[in-house]
Amino acid sequence: MPDKPNHWQQFHDGEMIKNAIERQLKPWWPRVFGYHLLKLGALSAQVSSLHCSVSRHYSMFDSNCDNHLPDAHADLHHLPVNTKSIDSLLSVFNLEYETDPYQVLREMDRVLISGGYLFLIGFNPVSPLFLGKLLPKCQTQLPWCGQFFMPSRIKDWLGLLGYQIQSDERFMFDSLLTKRPNMLRMQDKLQHWLPNVGGVYLIVAKKVDIPLSRIRQNQEQKTTPWATAPSAGRNVNYEQLNKHDRKTID
């Protein structure tokens, strides 16, 4: 796997990508509540979350960043965080550069509380950004050297883990290969006519724990209750019957 990006300057127009992500996240921050927000990865740590209603914000990654230090160094495959202790989690471009992205996703799920929010940001392969993967000179550069996953595949993974998708948004219709004015006009047209081909996706998912319950059979076996034989509508006075029996014996 390629080296993980440590700061936004490693990307083509990285500051522009970062600003676009912050604009996309800004409407979501007031909607989440709790005590702990975990920013996973060096890029996530540098994304502003000032408008988030969660009380405490922490960053965690396993690389050395020149302009930002993490609150804790950690391997994203094995987070040193208690199970179900994080209220919200932000992950920016982590799955693209990890050796086992599904294990990283499982660790995110492990530390999130029930009802917690997961904000996943990644590169969309069905977009103008994917053109860089076709050029040999770009295949070894960021961001194209990473593995791009279809947003539908990410949502399938989240579905297996028991998440409800709250939103699937696409933005950044730039190929990052050129800045010609005609390309800017093309980006506006793509955003208007093909909104699903944005180069960056934001998936917002809510963790839902489904309680396990026994599956009842559609047709339960009915047991016949035992009952005394009917008296055919006659009222029997057993006390008088016993007296009659004693007279007969005498």
Side-chain angles (χ1 to χ4, degrees), residues 155-216:
K155 290 189 289 186
D156 287 342
W157 286 352
L158 292 172
L160 292 175
L161 294 173
Y163 281 77
Q164 289 182 349
I165 304 300
Q166 305 294 306
S167 180
D168 178 9
E169 306 170 9
R170 315 289 168 83
F171 54 101
M172 284 290 300
F173 295 81
D174 194 341
S175 66
L176 303 181
L177 296 174
T178 179
K179 284 299 177 185
R180 293 178 297 177
N182 58 340
M183 289 301 297
L184 295 178
R185 290 193 295 269
M186 181 63 70
Q187 293 170 26
D188 294 337
K189 292 181 179 179
L190 286 175
Q191 186 172 3
H192 179 73
W193 295 105
L194 297 172
N196 287 331
V197 299
V200 180
Y201 65 80
L202 165 62
I203 295 177
V204 182
K206 185 177 181 181
K207 182 176 180 179
V208 179
D209 287 338
I210 302 176
L212 298 178
S213 59
R214 295 177 58 186
I215 301 177
R216 296 182 178 179

Side-chain angles (χ1 to χ4, degrees), residues 15-16 29 75-76 95 99 111 115 119 138 163 201 220 248:
E15 197 65 28
M16 180 184 67
W29 290 137
D75 179 5
L76 301 191
L95 302 182
T99 56
V111 302
F119 297 89
C138 295
Y163 281 77
Y201 65 80
E220 296 182 354
T248 305

Side-chain angles (χ1 to χ4, degrees), residues 1-8 10-12 17 41-43 62-63 75-77 91-102 104 121-124 129 133 138-149 176 199-201:
M1 290 296 293
D3 294 334
K4 302 175 187 177
N6 296 327
H7 50 82
W8 289 100
Q10 292 178 270
F11 288 95
H12 289 263
I17 301 175
L43 298 179
D62 59 352
S63 56
D75 179 5
L76 301 191
H77 299 85
S91 172
V92 180
F93 303 141
N94 283 316
L95 302 182
E96 288 81 358
Y97 305 99
E98 291 293 340
T99 56
D100 190 351
Y102 189 68
V104 174
I121 295 175
F123 293 115
N124 179 20
L129 187 65
K133 277 188 165 291
C138 295
Q139 292 175 359
T140 57
Q141 301 176 11
L142 290 169
W144 300 285
C145 60
Q147 184 179 6
F148 291 5
F149 296 99
L176 303 181
V200 180
Y201 65 80

Side-chain angles (χ1 to χ4, degrees), residues 48-151:
S48 174
S49 56
L50 293 177
H51 297 87
C52 184
S53 302
V54 179
S55 305
R56 301 175 181 87
H57 303 179
Y58 304 95
S59 62
M60 190 173 294
F61 48 90
D62 59 352
S63 56
N64 295 320
C65 183
D66 297 334
N67 56 356
H68 195 95
L69 295 177
D71 293 309
H73 285 87
D75 179 5
L76 301 191
H77 299 85
H78 306 283
L79 299 176
V81 182
N82 292 333
T83 300
K84 295 184 178 181
S85 60
I86 301 298
D87 299 277
S88 299
L89 193 148
L90 172 64
S91 172
V92 180
F93 303 141
N94 283 316
L95 302 182
E96 288 81 358
Y97 305 99
E98 291 293 340
T99 56
D100 190 351
Y102 189 68
Q103 172 60 26
V104 174
L105 199 60
R106 288 180 63 89
E107 274 296 279
M108 298 180 194
D109 172 66
R110 182 184 65 82
V111 302
L112 267 178
I113 66 169
S114 178
Y117 279 84
L118 178 60
F119 297 89
L120 281 178
I121 295 175
F123 293 115
N124 179 20
V126 185
S127 68
L129 187 65
F130 192 77
L131 294 175
K133 277 188 165 291
L134 305 178
L135 303 177
K137 66 176 183 179
C138 295
Q139 292 175 359
T140 57
Q141 301 176 11
L142 290 169
W144 300 285
C145 60
Q147 184 179 6
F148 291 5
F149 296 99
M150 290 289 293

